[in-house]
Amino acid sequence: MQHLDAATRSAYLASLSPGSDIDHRGTHLSPALLNELLTALQDPATGRPQFGHAWFGMATFTGDTRFANAMFAGQAQFSMATFTDLAAFHGVFFASSAAFDRVTFAGVTSFARATFAGSALFGATFNDTAWFGEATFHRGVDFRGSVFEKVTNLGPLVCAGTVNLSVTEFCGPMAAELAAHRVLCFRTRWAATAALRLRYATVDLTDAVLEYPLTITSARTAFGRSPGEIMYEARLMGLATRARVASVSGTSAAHLVLSNLDLSTCQFAGTYNLDQLSWTAVVLSPRLRAV
């Protein structure tokens, strides 16, 4: 859009309506240009911008980027995009797949209260604080290969499928509150203190790298968006609420603290410094209880 003259840009924007498909691959979008686009797509009934399919692959978003409360009815494709400053997606609804793979988020990033009805793929680099508080994933969310440089807050969030944190690196302090079916942490690296509070989930820590204490606990009560408001967990209700640990094989337990978890089927073979593992109020297999 930045290369269009005023008349051509006005004609293009006038051709749009709520639910239009958008293709801005490789485009440079300033806050002013993005605001013009969002205004053209605004649904008068709801006041929310509404996209059909949206292709923003390899786009560059300069300045503060705000998609807050937008609705993506079709695919949302942001692969290899760059956000130079704030990236605000709080309250966004993704009805179909959302792809943020190989994206660079240079500033503060927020997906707070976002809803992903389809698959969600990240694999991104977050150079500043990242927030995913109160996000909901109806299927799964894949963070494989992501790098979080500073403070990370994953949750509280609800995921009816798998939260995949494998081969992800957390360079700064990290906190997560996850109600999910599974949490995969194959070769995940924590280079700062971290805390995971889980509901329902089976977590796998095979070959994880812990440079600082990692505390994993099973939350007894549902996570709340705000006092008196409980996050939606109906898709997980058939599972036991106490979280389970599937494996710590290949991981050093020297910095690992486990509390109120089910370890009865956990794989400990190949775990390093197992004598330094700290646990409280856990469920053990008969074999381990006898040790």
Side-chain angles (χ1 to χ4, degrees), residues 162-264:
T162 297
V163 178
N164 195 339
L165 301 175
S166 299
V167 204
T168 295
E169 184 171 358
F170 296 97
C171 303
M174 179 266 204
E177 291 182 309
L178 311 174
H181 187 270
R182 300 175 70 200
V183 177
L184 299 182
C185 299
F186 300 132
R187 296 196 300 155
T188 304
R189 180 172 182 166
W190 284 276
T193 55
L196 307 182
R197 295 184 67 233
L198 307 177
R199 284 175 58 75
Y200 305 101
T202 297
V203 59
D204 195 320
L205 295 164
T206 300
D207 294 329
V209 178
L210 284 56
E211 298 181 17
Y212 286 82
L214 168 64
T215 301
I216 304 178
T217 61
S218 185
R220 298 179 184 276
T221 58
F223 301 130
R225 293 177 181 264
S226 58
E229 186 177 358
I230 302 300
M231 293 188 72
Y232 180 73
E233 294 184 351
R235 292 170 182 260
L236 296 165
M237 288 301 183
L239 304 172
T241 56
R242 187 196 291 264
R244 306 171 65 91
V245 180
S247 172
V248 291
S249 179
T251 299
S252 173
H255 292 302
L256 187 58
V257 180
L258 306 177
S259 177
N260 191 35
L261 296 162
D262 186 342
L263 306 181
S264 60

Side-chain angles (χ1 to χ4, degrees), residues 42 48 50 69 88 97 149 151 157 174 185 187 245 275:
Q42 189 174 67
R48 303 178 67 172
Q50 183 168 326
N69 299 314
S97 60
E149 293 285 356
V151 176
L157 65 79
M174 179 266 204
C185 299
R187 296 196 300 155
V245 180
D275 59 321

Side-chain angles (χ1 to χ4, degrees), residues 7-257:
T8 304
R9 186 167 70 246
S10 294
Y12 165 68
L13 292 170
S15 71
L16 302 178
S17 60
S20 291
D21 293 339
I22 298 297
D23 189 345
H24 286 292
R25 284 174 283 193
T27 303
H28 281 67
L29 289 164
S30 67
L33 289 175
L34 179 60
N35 187 61
E36 289 181 352
L37 180 62
L38 295 175
T39 299
L41 296 171
Q42 189 174 67
D43 185 341
T46 63
R48 303 178 67 172
Q50 183 168 326
F51 294 83
H53 295 299
W55 292 280
F56 289 103
M58 300 181 69
T60 298
F61 296 88
T62 59
D64 289 351
T65 300
R66 301 179 186 275
F67 280 94
N69 299 314
M71 299 183 68
F72 291 85
Q75 297 178 14
Q77 176 60 258
F78 288 85
S79 298
M80 295 187 285
T82 298
F83 295 83
T84 65
D85 293 280
L86 171 74
F89 286 85
H90 49 268
V92 170
F93 184 84
F94 298 94
S96 185
S97 60
F100 291 87
D101 53 306
R102 293 167 290 171
V103 168
T104 298
F105 295 98
V108 173
T109 304
S110 174
F111 284 88
R113 294 205 176 196
T115 299
F116 296 80
S119 59
L121 173 62
F122 284 88
T125 298
F126 300 85
N127 290 328
D128 209 326
T129 301
W131 302 87
F132 285 82
E134 303 172 18
T136 302
F137 298 88
H138 291 185
R139 295 187 181 181
V141 54
D142 192 342
F143 287 102
R144 275 180 298 180
S146 292
V147 177
F148 293 87
E149 293 285 356
K150 294 188 178 179
V151 176
T152 304
N153 287 276
L154 294 180
L157 65 79
V158 173
C159 178
T162 297
V163 178
N164 195 339
L165 301 175
S166 299
V167 204
T168 295
E169 184 171 358
F170 296 97
C171 303
M174 179 266 204
E177 291 182 309
L178 311 174
H181 187 270
R182 300 175 70 200
V183 177
L184 299 182
C185 299
F186 300 132
R187 296 196 300 155
T188 304
R189 180 172 182 166
W190 284 276
T193 55
L196 307 182
R197 295 184 67 233
L198 307 177
R199 284 175 58 75
Y200 305 101
T202 297
V203 59
D204 195 320
L205 295 164
T206 300
D207 294 329
V209 178
L210 284 56
E211 298 181 17
Y212 286 82
L214 168 64
T215 301
I216 304 178
T217 61
S218 185
R220 298 179 184 276
T221 58
F223 301 130
R225 293 177 181 264
S226 58
E229 186 177 358
I230 302 300
M231 293 188 72
Y232 180 73
E233 294 184 351
R235 292 170 182 260
L236 296 165
M237 288 301 183
L239 304 172
T241 56
R242 187 196 291 264
R244 306 171 65 91
V245 180
S247 172
V248 291
S249 179
T251 299
S252 173
H255 292 302
L256 187 58
V257 180

